[in-house]
Amino acid sequence: MVAILDFGSQYGQLIARRVREHNVYSRIFQPGITAKELSTLGVRGIILSGGPASVYDKNAPRCDEKIFELGVPILGICYGMQLGCQVLGAEVIPAEKREYGRTKLTILDKSDLFAALPDSITAWASHGDQVGKLGKDFARLASTETCPYAAVRHKKKRFFGVQFHPEVSHTPKGTVILKNFLYDICKCSGDWKMSDFVNEAVEEIRKRVGSAAVICGLSGGVDSSVVATLVHKAAGNQLVCIFVDNGLLRKNERENVVSTFRNHFHIDLRVVDWSKQFLKALAGVTDPQQKRKIIGSEFIKAFKSEAAKIPDAKFLAQGTLYPDVIESGHKDGNLAASIKLHHNVGGLPAELGFKLIEPLRELFKDDVRLVGEYLGLPADVIWRHPFPGPGLAVRIIGEVTPERLEILRAADEIVIDEIKSAGLYRKVAQALAVLVPVCTVGVMGDERSYENVIAVRAVETTDFMTADFSHIPYEVLGTISSRIINEVRGVNRVVYDISSKPPATIEWE
């Protein structure tokens, strides 16, 4: 394993993903983890991430300086380089000219970190400070026009530092640099595979649950589907899945989930139809936060009603992923901002009195899809676009009514159908339709119409923390618009959302 100490970098998760792409297992830790704790984990290497702070800030994050005595290779990236160099005796200064964006990196030493690379490469920089004086214990490995010490190596300690970001795609040869660090410097074997993860997870689940029953809240999305299949492989008939029909689902959603898990995988699946209760509670509500609270409260009621019928149920399996943990914030002082409280790291287990099983907690979405493929899940489940827990309620701006739900369901089906028909579904990270709470004037059948507006949203992203709008071909957008207006009663106008995240979010509410 390679440990990544995260100093609040926006690329912390990306570093972990890049390491795993080289078949080396990685985990992200808070910088406060001690050298002793790391040594007990048997780490082969340590990566110090970048971060927004300056090493001279009063509350700048630090690491246990004893990690430099562990004898394992350490790679410092950006802030991580500055911190490591400062600890080991070099001087960090504000750069005369800050570097942001692409820069030309001149390589001066190809003996280890930059082996098999040309004399110069393109690198992505983002820093205001840099190393000003190295001292006799460091060797210079690379430079840029404005940064003389863009990469360094300590002559006695096994520390390497780079003042750019090898983990981002804007550093095209960055994957080679990371591979050199992992294989040639850390001597990692590169034999970590998803099959290893599955076998270990199955064994761990079996030991933990014993003969007790395990409940899994199944939504039909990739995360909960993979968890259900994984736990079923470990616990067999001890697993009971609960699917709550909240009346806010996509068209044929309930039927598809039942067909896949009850009929194909032969999993004990209980369906709770709570749609009337959800719609009654949402009547007249327009505030999006209030909608979410109501839906969360009703979901717990629905889930409880079925869970109480399952004898000897002691465990709850959830599809919590590593980004969920990061975005929700850590109790131990996570330096990344607490962006949102995810439903599956919230209060449900405490409400029900269950012990929690989260076998995907250390994985990213890409990893989860690989697990799903290994477990034999259908491709349409593995590659399904994300769908929000509150369902279509957060894609209807304003009050949620049965009539408005039917309009949005029909429009949503057309959007997904045409995206798939154009061969774009795997290229687009998420596509959706939104029902806007305004009506506009139109002409239909030579008569004036005054009907609803549907907004179409499609984004491209790898981590869903940032996203760009998808450049859907005009002819595809034209087909989507034409079909919605002609086939969905109550709609006379379709618009396309070209906002990026940030400043917008992917969902509208």
Side-chain angles (χ1 to χ4, degrees):
M1 183 180 71
V2 166
I4 298 163
L5 272 57
D6 186 6
F7 294 95
S9 172
Q10 61 179 313
Y11 302 129
Q13 295 180 54
L14 188 55
I15 298 171
R17 180 178 289 130
R18 294 290 181 254
V19 172
R20 292 181 185 188
E21 285 173 357
H22 288 293
N23 298 320
V24 175
Y25 184 59
S26 63
R27 281 183 63 190
I28 300 176
F29 297 93
Q30 294 298 293
I33 188 170
T34 66
K36 184 177 181 180
E37 288 171 319
L38 287 173
S39 66
T40 61
L41 295 173
V43 295
R44 282 293 186 92
I46 299 170
I47 297 178
L48 309 180
S49 83
S54 166
V55 293
Y56 294 111
D57 288 346
K58 183 178 180 180
N59 297 315
R62 311 286 295 185
C63 62
D64 182 354
E65 296 186 8
K66 291 181 180 177
I67 67 169
F68 297 97
E69 307 297 329
L70 290 176
V72 300
I74 299 174
L75 174 64
I77 297 175
C78 199
Y79 177 86
M81 171 185 173
Q82 296 161 17
L83 178 61
C85 287
Q86 186 189 56
V87 169
L88 296 174
E91 181 185 10
V92 178
I93 61 172
E96 289 186 13
K97 184 178 180 182
R98 297 180 296 176
E99 279 187 321
Y100 293 102
R102 288 182 176 86
T103 186
K104 179 182 176 182
L105 183 78
T106 300
I107 297 172
L108 308 172
D109 184 334
K110 300 182 184 180
S111 61
D112 38 41
L113 194 62
F114 296 104
L117 287 176
D119 293 338
S120 67
I121 62 171
T122 298
W124 183 266
S126 179
H127 63 96
D129 293 345
Q130 63 187 36
V131 175
K133 292 181 181 179
L134 274 184
K136 57 183 178 58
D137 290 331
F138 283 91
R140 185 167 68 143
L141 305 182
S143 64
T144 70
E145 184 179 349
T146 61
C147 183
Y149 306 116
V152 301
R153 180 204 314 115
H154 196 274
K155 296 176 182 177
K156 298 175 182 177
K157 310 290 183 183
R158 302 182 72 187
F159 174 76
F160 298 79
V162 292
Q163 193 55 73
F164 57 93
H165 290 275
E167 71 273 22
V168 302
S169 59
H170 300 303
T171 304
K173 299 293 185 181
T175 185
V176 178
I177 297 169
L178 289 174
K179 183 179 180 181
N180 288 340
F181 177 72
L182 296 170
Y183 287 6
D184 298 335
I185 296 173
C186 296
K187 305 299 181 185
C188 293
S189 55
D191 58 359
W192 181 74
K193 303 183 294 294
M194 272 304 156
S195 57
D196 296 333
F197 167 81
V198 170
N199 294 334
E200 290 169 7
V202 165
E203 187 61 30
E204 185 177 333
I205 293 168
R206 280 177 183 158
K207 287 180 179 177
R208 187 165 180 219
V209 305
S211 59
V214 183
I215 296 176
C216 177
L218 186 60
S219 69
V222 61
D223 304 337
S224 68
S225 298
V226 169
V227 164
T229 311
L230 186 63
V231 175
H232 188 250
K233 185 178 176 68
N237 293 334
Q238 294 167 234
L239 172 69
V240 179
C241 290
I242 297 176
F243 178 83
V244 176
D245 184 348
N246 57 14
L248 309 170
L249 305 173
R250 285 174 166 177
K251 195 171 182 180
N252 300 322
E253 180 84 5
R254 175 171 166 174
E255 293 79 3
N256 291 336
V257 170
V258 169
S259 174
T260 299
F261 291 93
R262 184 183 288 169
N263 302 339
H264 180 72
F265 283 100
H266 306 294
I267 289 175
D268 185 353
L269 175 62
R270 317 281 178 91
V271 176
V272 183
D273 190 339
W274 209 263
S275 53
K276 290 181 180 178
Q277 291 91 325
F278 275 95
L279 291 177
K280 182 179 179 181
L282 288 169
V285 178
T286 59
D287 179 74
Q289 287 297 85
Q290 189 64 20
K291 284 185 193 177
R292 288 179 178 271
K293 288 178 181 178
I294 290 170
I295 292 168
S297 175
E298 289 299 324
F299 178 82
I300 289 174
K301 291 177 188 176
F303 203 89
K304 272 184 174 180
S305 73
E306 191 62 36
K309 303 174 187 176
I310 302 169
D312 198 33
K314 296 180 180 177
F315 295 91
L316 176 69
Q318 290 191 158
T320 309
L321 305 191
Y322 209 84
D324 297 340
V325 177
I326 295 294
E327 282 200 344
S328 296
H330 292 292
K331 291 180 181 179
D332 57 355
N334 180 20
L335 296 173
S338 181
I339 300 168
K340 54 188 173 183
L341 182 63
H342 287 256
H343 66 279
N344 51 344
V345 286
L348 186 57
E351 285 272 352
L352 298 172
F354 292 147
K355 297 176 182 176
L356 199 56
I357 294 177
E358 296 175 304
L360 310 182
R361 191 178 175 86
E362 302 292 343
L363 301 186
F364 299 98
K365 183 71 77 174
D366 295 347
D367 300 325
V368 174
R369 289 195 167 112
L370 290 174
V371 173
E373 288 179 346
Y374 180 79
L375 292 171
L377 278 167
D380 60 342
V381 173
I382 294 170
W383 292 100
R384 187 186 181 212
H385 287 183
F387 188 64
L392 297 177
V394 292
R395 294 178 180 175
I396 293 177
I397 313 303
E399 185 181 7
V400 179
T401 65
E403 297 75 22
R404 302 188 82 201
L405 279 165
E406 285 308 307
I407 291 173
L408 185 56
R409 273 197 193 98
D412 173 83
E413 185 182 37
I414 291 170
V415 171
I416 299 302
D417 186 41
E418 291 302 325
I419 292 288
K420 287 180 176 178
S421 296
L424 298 172
Y425 192 76
R426 291 274 291 269
K427 297 177 182 178
V428 171
Q430 189 171 353
L432 56 121
V434 179
L435 182 58
V436 181
V438 294
C439 291
T440 65
V441 174
V443 178
M444 302 181 79
D446 294 327
E447 293 183 358
R448 178 185 184 276
S449 67
Y450 189 61
E451 295 181 328
N452 293 285
V453 177
I454 288 288
V456 176
R457 177 91 158 124
V459 298
E460 295 175 2
T461 179
T462 56
D463 55 18
F464 290 90
M465 291 187 167
T466 60
D468 291 322
F469 71 89
S470 297
H471 292 248
I472 304 294
Y474 288 151
E475 57 269 23
V476 177
L477 291 175
T479 302
I480 290 172
S481 175
S482 177
R483 281 196 60 193
I484 290 176
I485 291 172
N486 283 295
E487 297 176 29
V488 182
R489 289 188 176 275
V491 177
N492 70 355
R493 191 179 299 271
V494 175
V495 298
Y496 189 56
D497 182 348
I498 58 170
S499 311
S500 295
K501 176 187 178 180
T505 53
I506 295 174
E507 298 288 348
W508 276 41
E509 284 195 343

